[in-house]
């Protein structure tokens, strides 16, 4: 049976096998029924095998998905025949324009990525690097906000606005009410602010080469008493590890006073979409492509976190502390 989805405007075709017994052999044919007008007609594949008819129906459904109608399929194939050859493209100068507009910028970016990030061998003690300065509006535009309302799960809201005092406000309202149970999420009540994902040359993920010299992340914040979560996204080329990240809890104080949170990289633990991995590894800053801050304390009500800047600092007192958690030898075939 070959069915089309109900949302499609194309007709639903049902294949019903019929068998005719003759003197020499048994032949099979297909009676096709059109669901639009309830008409029946025999297919042209009367003497074909079941596998051949299955392939024909599969090929027809693929063409309908790609082109919509047979007329569009013929028009697409006609355009493909009228495509210019590679020699003709070179003669008209289109290949040189492609090299100048597309390939040359990507090659230039790739060459810059191959160069060392800094000529110095290493940074000194207490040297720091500002990676996100929210005094500039251009930096705020590089960050986005996502809540459970965007996922169709809950009713939480959030926004990211300048405070007018050289900082950014991550504020909103958290609601743990579930409005849709048929989703991948088993709970609601979350809001996330995340930076844009770094992209390298030829659509490949970029690397934070300068982060390897530092040991801590430094956040200048003014919170509301809630606890948040700082995340470093480290997607791998394998789709199984595309959602890998390293997280650490960020505790804030209530009141009008500013505070500085200093978190070592060795305390970040590995997880995948909120699930803590059984096999832990130390965080490698080189693999980070995106950073995010989320509120996940499951407490309904308004929240507000003001951030002035995010920096990296090198503290030589922690240079021997590679990973703060114990390592276990797991049995084979375990989940990671």
């Amino acid at each position: 049976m070959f069915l089309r989805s109900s949302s499609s405007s194309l007709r639903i075709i049902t294949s019903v096998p019929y068998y005719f017994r003759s003197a020499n052999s048994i032949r099979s044919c297909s009676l096709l029924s059109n669901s639009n007008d309830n008409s029946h007609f025999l297919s042209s594949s009367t003497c074909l095998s079941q596998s051949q008819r299955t392939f024909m129906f599969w090929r027809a459904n693929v063409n309908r998905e790609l082109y919509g109608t047979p007329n569009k399929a013929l028009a697409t194939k006609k355009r493909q025949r009228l495509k210019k050859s590679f020699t003709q493209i070179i003669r008209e100068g289109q290949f040189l324009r492609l090299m100048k507009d597309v390939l040359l910028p990507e090659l230039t970016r790739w060459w810059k990525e191959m160069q060392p990030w800094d000529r110095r061998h290493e940074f000194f003690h207490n040297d720091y690097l500002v990676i996100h300065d929210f005094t500039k509006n251009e930096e705020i535009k590089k960050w986005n906000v996502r809540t459970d309302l965007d996922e169709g799960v809950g009713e939480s809201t959030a926004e990211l606005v300048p405070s007018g005092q050289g900082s950014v406000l991550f504020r909103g309202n958290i609601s743990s009410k579930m409005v849709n149970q048929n989703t991948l999420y088993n709970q609601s009540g979350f809001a996330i602010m995340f930076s844009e994902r770094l992209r390298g040359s030829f659509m490949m993920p970029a690397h934070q080469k300068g982060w390897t010299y530092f040991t801590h992340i430094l956040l200048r914040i003014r919170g509301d008493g809630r606890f948040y979560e700082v995340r470093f996204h480290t997607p791998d080329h394998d789709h199984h590890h595309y959602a890998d990240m390293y997280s650490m809890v960020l505790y804030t104080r209530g009141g009008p006073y500013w505070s500085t949170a200093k978190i070592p990289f060795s305390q970040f633990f590995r997880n995948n979409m909120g699930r803590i991995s059984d096999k832990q590894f130390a965080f490698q800053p080189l693999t980070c492509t995106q950073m995010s801050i989320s509120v996940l304390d499951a407490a309904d009500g308004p929240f507000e976190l003001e951030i002035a800047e995010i920096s990296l600092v090198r503290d030589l007192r922690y240079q021997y502390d590679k990973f703060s958690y114990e390592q276990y030898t797991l049995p084979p075939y375990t989940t990671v």
Side-chain angles (χ1 to χ4, degrees):
M1 182 177 293
F2 304 87
L3 299 178
R4 297 284 301 175
S5 61
S6 59
S7 61
S8 176
S9 60
L10 302 178
R11 63 184 182 180
I12 300 177
I13 298 179
T14 306
S15 176
V16 182
Y18 283 83
Y19 298 91
F20 296 92
R21 183 179 298 275
S22 61
N24 299 326
S25 61
I26 298 177
R27 296 190 306 169
S28 64
C29 67
S30 296
L31 181 64
L32 302 183
S33 62
N34 190 350
S35 62
N36 296 333
D37 52 2
N38 296 326
S39 60
H40 303 274
F41 56 92
L42 288 176
S43 68
S44 59
S45 58
T46 304
C47 300
L48 299 179
S49 63
Q50 182 66 29
S51 60
Q52 291 174 332
R53 292 198 307 274
T54 302
F55 176 78
M56 290 177 59
F57 276 100
W58 172 81
R59 183 65 179 271
N61 289 335
V62 168
N63 289 335
R64 293 190 189 97
E65 289 288 347
L66 293 178
Y67 309 112
T69 60
N71 294 332
K72 291 183 179 180
L74 294 176
T76 304
K77 293 179 180 179
K78 184 178 180 180
R79 287 196 301 268
Q80 292 177 354
R81 289 195 301 267
L82 295 178
K83 283 184 178 180
K84 299 179 181 179
S85 62
F86 185 70
T87 306
Q88 189 176 1
I89 291 176
I90 295 178
R91 289 175 180 175
E92 295 179 358
Q94 297 180 3
F95 182 73
L96 295 179
R97 288 195 296 268
L98 177 65
M99 290 285 295
K100 181 180 179 181
D101 299 339
V102 179
L103 295 181
L104 186 59
E106 294 296 329
L107 290 174
T108 304
R109 179 182 295 182
W110 172 81
W111 177 254
K112 291 181 179 180
E113 292 176 358
M114 294 296 103
Q115 303 302 317
W117 183 79
D118 197 286
R119 298 297 179 181
R120 293 181 295 179
H121 179 67
E122 63 178 0
F123 285 79
F124 298 101
H125 179 62
N126 283 337
D127 284 351
Y128 70 95
L129 172 68
V130 179
I131 57 176
H132 297 292
D133 186 9
F134 293 106
T135 58
K136 305 175 183 178
N137 292 331
E138 292 78 10
E139 182 65 30
I140 301 177
K141 294 179 181 179
K142 297 179 181 179
W143 290 71
N144 296 315
V145 175
R146 195 166 188 86
T147 63
D148 53 12
L149 180 63
D150 301 325
E151 302 292 342
V153 181
E155 298 179 348
S156 302
T157 58
E159 61 178 354
L160 200 65
V161 295
S163 64
Q165 301 177 359
S167 58
V168 63
L169 286 174
F170 177 44
R171 62 188 182 186
N173 185 72
I174 295 297
S175 175
S176 58
K177 179 182 178 181
M178 292 281 293
V179 298
N180 188 7
Q181 301 289 343
N182 300 325
T183 59
L184 297 176
Y185 299 90
N186 56 2
Q187 63 180 3
S188 62
F190 61 87
I192 306 172
M193 57 173 291
F194 55 92
S195 62
E196 60 181 6
R197 188 179 296 274
L198 296 180
R199 186 186 70 85
S201 58
F202 301 103
M203 300 299 294
M204 298 298 291
H207 298 290
Q208 299 284 7
K209 293 190 293 184
W211 289 22
T212 56
Y213 299 102
F214 301 96
T215 59
H216 292 68
I217 181 174
L218 210 64
L219 298 99
R220 184 66 175 169
I221 58 175
R222 182 161 59 178
D224 53 357
R226 290 176 178 261
F227 61 88
Y228 298 79
E229 187 176 17
V230 182
R231 298 173 174 176
F232 291 119
H233 299 262
T234 57
D236 200 357
H237 296 285
D238 188 2
H239 68 280
H240 293 288
H241 303 282
Y242 186 77
D244 283 2
M245 65 184 73
Y246 285 82
S247 307
M248 185 57 193
V249 182
L250 173 64
Y251 298 97
T252 62
R253 300 178 181 177
Y257 300 105
W258 286 90
S259 61
T260 302
K262 183 180 179 182
I263 308 175
F265 287 154
S266 59
Q267 293 186 5
F268 282 83
F269 54 91
R270 178 171 173 257
N271 61 87
N272 186 287
M273 297 185 66
R275 178 187 178 274
I276 300 178
S277 303
D278 297 330
K279 196 172 184 179
Q280 292 288 329
F281 300 97
F283 170 59
Q284 301 296 333
L286 181 68
T287 60
C288 178
T289 61
Q290 192 178 26
M291 180 182 176
S292 64
I293 300 176
S294 61
V295 48
L296 293 171
D297 56 357
D300 294 354
F303 71 93
E304 181 175 313
L305 177 65
E306 187 174 357
I307 309 174
E309 66 177 17
I310 302 176
S311 309
L312 301 177
V313 64
R314 178 176 177 83
D315 194 343
L316 296 180
R317 295 174 297 179
Y318 288 85
Q319 62 180 348
Y320 300 106
D321 187 12
K322 301 300 181 182
F323 197 54
S324 300
Y325 306 101
E326 296 183 6
Q327 299 290 315
Y328 299 95
T329 302
L330 299 176
Y333 308 108
T334 184
T335 58
V336 296

